[in-house]
Amino acid sequence: MSVLRLDNLCRSFGSLVVTHNVNLTIAAGERHVVIGPNGAGKTSLINQMGGQLQPSAGRVLLDEVDITGWAPERILHAGIARTFQKNNLFFNLSVLENLRLAVQARRASGFSVLRPAAARVDILARAREVLVQVRMDADADRLVRNLSYGEQRQLEVGMALAGDPTVLLLDEPTSGMSPAETVGMIDLVRSLPSSLSIVMIEHDMNVVFSLADRITVLYYGEVLATGVPAQIQANARVREIYLGASH
Amino acid sequence: MLEIDRIDTFYGESHILRGLSFQVAQGEVVCLLGRNGAGKTTTLLSIMGYVAPRSGSIRLRGRPIHARPAYEIARSGVGFVPQERGIFPSLSVRENLTVFARTFPGARWTLQRVYEVFPRLRERERNLGFQLSGGEQQMLSIARALMLNPDLLLLDEPSEGLAPMIVHEIIQVMRELKKEGLAILLVEQNLHTALAIADRHHVINKGEIMFTGTSAELEADESVKSRYLAV
Amino acid sequence: MEIYLAQLLNGLVYGMLLFLTAAGLSLIFGLMNVVSLAHGSFFMLGAYIALSVTRQTQNFWLALVLAPVVTVGIGLLMERLFMRPLYRRGHLDQVLLTFGFTFVFFDAVRSFWGSDIRKLAAPDALQGSIEIAGGMFSTYRLFLLALGAGLALILWLVMERSRLGAMVRAGVDDSAMAAGLGANIPALFSGVFGAGVALAALGGVAAGPVLGLYPGMDGDILIPSFIVIVIGGMGSLRGAFVGSLLVGVADAFGKAYVPALSMFLIYLLMAFFLLVRPQGLFGIKGGVAPAGMVVAVGAPFNRPQLARRLAWLALVVLAVFPLFVPDYHRTLVSEIFVFAIFAMSLDLILGYTGLPSFGHAAFFGLGAYVVIVLGSLFGLNGWLGLAVAIPVTAMAAAIIGFFCVRTSGITFLMLTLAFSQLLYSIAFKWRDVTGGSDGIGIASRPSFLGWSLDDPLALYYMTFFFFILSYLGLRRLIASPLGHSLVGIRENESRMRAIGYATGEYKLLAFTIGGTLAGFSGGLYALFNGFVSPEALHWSASGDVLIMAMLGGAGTLVGPVIGAAVFLLMKNLVSSWNDHWMMIIGAVFIACVMFFPGGIWGMLRDRVARVRS
């Protein structure tokens, strides 16, 4: 049963094609990793799933509902949450406050003025739950700008989880992390509920092979191969583009 | 020519380069290889002074340059060709070449010579920067760096996104530059391009050098290739 | 025919003077991304320095050379010592810095040369007039045309044909790349800034014999120059030239044929361009770079114990204070209460939501006009007038906000300015209703709980009551989920969108609430003052309230209150024994922008926090 389906997705910027006839099916609970060289169109693809970028043609389906062209907020409320390649957080607010804003958005109470935010214990309780999920319960009151980069990456995942998604999009969750932090992130992603579907862009092959159920290789906007890790490793074309074609 | 000694570079809290050290000698082409996000471009940006390393030193001809602003580093003989090429869109091709040129009597690189090496640029002389194709932009970016008459050239993925014909042409030019004694530091993702020009290779992963060796050594080392470059 | 020609010529002359200011403004913006609000001040300084030179030497030509040189010296000092340290910060901080300097320069000119209108004598050789096509034209005006055209040509040659010009253009295109090829960007910045100042000062000298000299001529050239670069395209020299001549000629013909509408139409055009074609006619940059701004940071939702105790203390002191002081002080503090509400309302938009409004006086003035006009034309009771003012300003804020919140940074700043000037031009020209520049008053004030507001004590407690009410209301709002959402937008709007907030709606709501509260404070001001003039809507009133909020500490509620108090105390008390209150305000504001981005309150809070830890 597929949760997320891309149907002949295309996107170009002028003459530059970043996504070309991409078909992809993500099953419930699947951990799917997208790899490919620079400029292959990985982030553009995720942006089209999250609504940050509109496809030129084709469809994005969530539980077989066509969500193509929806605004990012609407897609988020429908159940797709994402993280960003570059940490994109409220750096002057505390960790808990960051998560509280994210939970508050999902509970449709952002406009509320009737009760002080501090009195909304339901929001606070959910924020604390996420805090534990991303293993930051000890850091609740620290300002985000005082966190290490790796901790900020962790919170980045927490911000997406706070929206109770069914599909989580992770854009290079381990980029810029030290080897030790990278191991921590692998652990964290593994510990997420098995019902959650994850689509992840990653460069670190160690991370890719530790987590992936299936892998898709993008090359100049096209799907070069999709399959289980062993199939991808054995694929001659994939090896060639990673080591470079001879001239 | 260039000595990099245990530099650590950060973006905010993100630790990108971790104690990186290597050298580039006169007339040598050194290549940095590695996956996306390994720290290759950051190494070039650190040398150029765009991102100052938090610790360690960078020396050019023995003189420390790591605390200097970018324009002083450029003026002390470093030509920089960035990944996105950095062509000034509202300047003509000719203006792009001459605006910051450092030519002097007896200089190796003049407008004349640049046009001989890249005849295409002479044809496009009056066009504005934004009217060029990707390959032309790449040539212009390299030619513009040469107009500074540098001792060291930094090239960030010059073959990226270009047709094989043009890549071949650029490789030829680099071989010629090397013969003239120019030191070149090249960032590449394409192993074949790297093997075609460079004398020595450093494979970087997560901001650290994992392998150093000649083209032959790299070609023979399947484990490095599969671990840090291949799938 | 002659009359058309004369108007055309006058329009072109004014256009040339605008060009001299707008060209520098535009070049500085193109390269440095900074809209220098002090640019009008350099125009003014140039003119006044020329006045002194001609008095000493009787030589206009010497003044035309010497005044720009001296002014450039002043400008470069400002750039080196004050703007350069802020290059790494947001561009908006630099804009605010230059705004602080407008106060300093204004005060300096007023105290050095006095407030009277002066005129620079045109040189003897250009005193006469020449006959063209049957009409007589002053030789000096023709000289101005030639001067403007000549300078435009020289500028064009330098920019397009010289290597220096190519360097500047390269810097505008991509300053980081230019640095990587050996361009000394800070030096290039200084050079372009200095050239811009020279042109503005030269314009000031040249304008002296035509427009006259007076403190305030800075703003009178700055605002039209803004319109020019918005229409022509920020960063474009050609745009500045075409835009100047267009605005100059449109102004001359507009004043002659549609005097009631000319100003209105020009501001409407400015708003139109900002919304529909933000790159202007010839601009190359797609709109304006978003500008960062530093406001009070720290833990915005935690109120320390100390603040709570201080609040109670302040409440008690303010409640008994008027019983022991003369009427003058009662009135002064009442005024502070009114402006504190105004400043807090701006802070909801500026400090909490992060939108740099430079036209907040629109709502204040509108609220005041509603109360006064209804009172004087229809004899409506002031309280009923206030009840009408609230929905009227809410509507105006919602409509203006609808357009403004689509933009951000400097475009937002310019757009709010354009809309407020639109309202200003209506108040200024619609004499039948607003009394035009004379203003309009009401015969009597209503009573407050059966106590006539003609009694300063009643006025005091009335404004105090509404101040407390506004403060508590805003505090409630800030602490609510909505308040947290607004801070989230200020801190990181793209993240807010990514976690599911439709931020546009939130910004519009904040703008509308802030505007409505400003309208309410304007209505109170009407009751307090019994009189209103277009000054209440003028852009400088928006500037004053911006200073109050930032000076006290934007991003807090107490800050704007402190800012309003400091500003009005300076204006009313310092001015009684010292002429330089504006200089002091300007200097303190500059210091705040540079060293205490959290303003006075932010600084105090930091100090307390540091002492405690």
Side-chain angles (χ1 to χ4, degrees), chain A residues 52 72-73 76-77 82 84 88-93 97 100-102 104-105 109-118 120 145 156 159-160, chain C residues 297-301 476-477 479-485 487-503 505-506 509:
Chain A
Q52 284 78 17
E73 304 94 75
L76 193 106
H77 288 289
R82 67 167 299 173
F84 292 86
N88 188 6
L89 299 161
F90 305 105
F91 293 95
N92 293 319
L93 305 183
E97 197 56 55
R100 205 156 71 167
L101 275 171
Q104 177 182 293
S109 49
F111 281 115
S112 153
V113 288
L114 295 178
R115 278 194 291 163
R120 293 293 302 259
R145 66 185 141 111
E156 189 61 55
M159 294 294 277
Chain C
V297 289
F301 305 126
R476 179 100 204 206
L477 192 151
S480 73
L482 175 63
H484 287 220
S485 307
V487 170
I489 291 172
R490 175 191 84 198
E491 287 295 318
N492 189 341
E493 187 177 349
S494 78
R495 180 79 234 192
M496 282 300 274
R497 254 191 242 128
I499 52 177
Y501 290 87
T503 54
E505 295 167 23
Y506 285 85
L509 187 63

Side-chain angles (χ1 to χ4, degrees), chain C residues 262-520:
Chain C
S262 68
M263 214 183 350
F264 180 83
L265 289 176
I266 281 194
Y267 287 117
L268 198 63
L269 196 65
M270 177 179 177
F272 173 81
F273 266 94
L274 283 166
L275 282 167
V276 178
R277 200 180 155 82
Q279 74 273 33
L281 290 174
F282 299 103
I284 28 172
K285 294 196 167 183
V288 182
M293 176 182 57
V294 181
V295 294
V297 289
F301 305 126
N302 304 334
R303 266 177 313 115
Q305 272 295 309
L306 182 75
R308 195 170 295 216
R309 278 185 218 139
L310 278 175
W312 279 109
L313 184 69
L315 192 73
V316 173
V317 169
L318 288 173
V320 296
F321 160 82
L323 303 173
F324 305 101
V325 296
D327 280 351
Y328 174 73
H329 293 118
R330 290 171 180 164
T331 313
L332 178 56
V333 179
S334 305
E335 192 180 358
I336 291 175
F337 288 143
V338 171
F339 277 89
I341 300 174
F342 184 25
M344 285 192 297
S345 76
L346 171 67
D347 200 35
L348 185 69
I349 300 169
L350 173 85
Y352 282 97
T353 318
L355 301 170
S357 171
F358 206 64
H360 203 53
F363 309 114
F364 180 85
L366 184 61
Y369 266 107
V370 168
V371 171
I372 299 270
V373 168
L374 289 180
S376 83
L377 294 191
F378 305 104
L380 197 68
N381 176 285
W383 297 113
L384 290 177
L386 195 60
V388 176
I390 292 171
V392 167
T393 47
M395 193 100 77
I399 293 169
I400 292 176
F402 174 80
F403 293 108
C404 293
V405 299
R406 276 143 211 274
T407 64
S408 61
I410 294 193
T411 313
F412 181 89
L413 189 148
M414 293 280 220
L415 199 54
T416 48
L417 171 73
F419 277 114
S420 76
Q421 288 292 98
L422 264 181
L423 290 190
Y424 170 77
S425 68
I426 294 173
F428 196 80
K429 291 291 182 185
W430 199 11
R431 298 193 66 92
D432 296 342
V433 172
T434 64
S437 58
D438 299 335
I440 184 172
I442 41 173
S444 68
R445 294 190 176 110
S447 60
F448 178 60
L449 305 173
W451 194 3
S452 166
L453 287 181
D454 291 325
D455 179 352
L457 204 58
L459 203 60
Y460 182 95
Y461 283 112
M462 186 274 283
T463 51
F464 184 45
F465 171 73
F466 284 114
F467 164 69
I468 297 291
L469 207 63
S470 306
Y471 179 83
L472 292 178
L474 279 174
R475 204 179 69 175
R476 179 100 204 206
L477 192 151
I478 301 305
S480 73
L482 175 63
H484 287 220
S485 307
L486 298 183
V487 170
I489 291 172
R490 175 191 84 198
E491 287 295 318
N492 189 341
E493 187 177 349
S494 78
R495 180 79 234 192
M496 282 300 274
R497 254 191 242 128
I499 52 177
Y501 290 87
T503 54
E505 295 167 23
Y506 285 85
K507 289 196 284 185
L508 180 56
L509 187 63
F511 195 87
T512 308
I513 296 174
T516 309
L517 191 59
F520 175 70

Side-chain angles (χ1 to χ4, degrees), chain A residues 15 17 27 43 45 69 78 107 109 118 122 128 131 144 150-151 164 170 178 190 198 205 213 227 230 246:
Chain A
S15 63
V17 180
T43 297
L45 193 66
R107 312 247 154 152
S109 49
D122 52 327
R128 290 207 177 272
L131 207 59
V144 171
E151 289 167 328
D164 304 315
L170 301 175
S178 71
R190 270 205 188 121
I198 300 178
M205 291 303 152
D213 295 327
S246 48

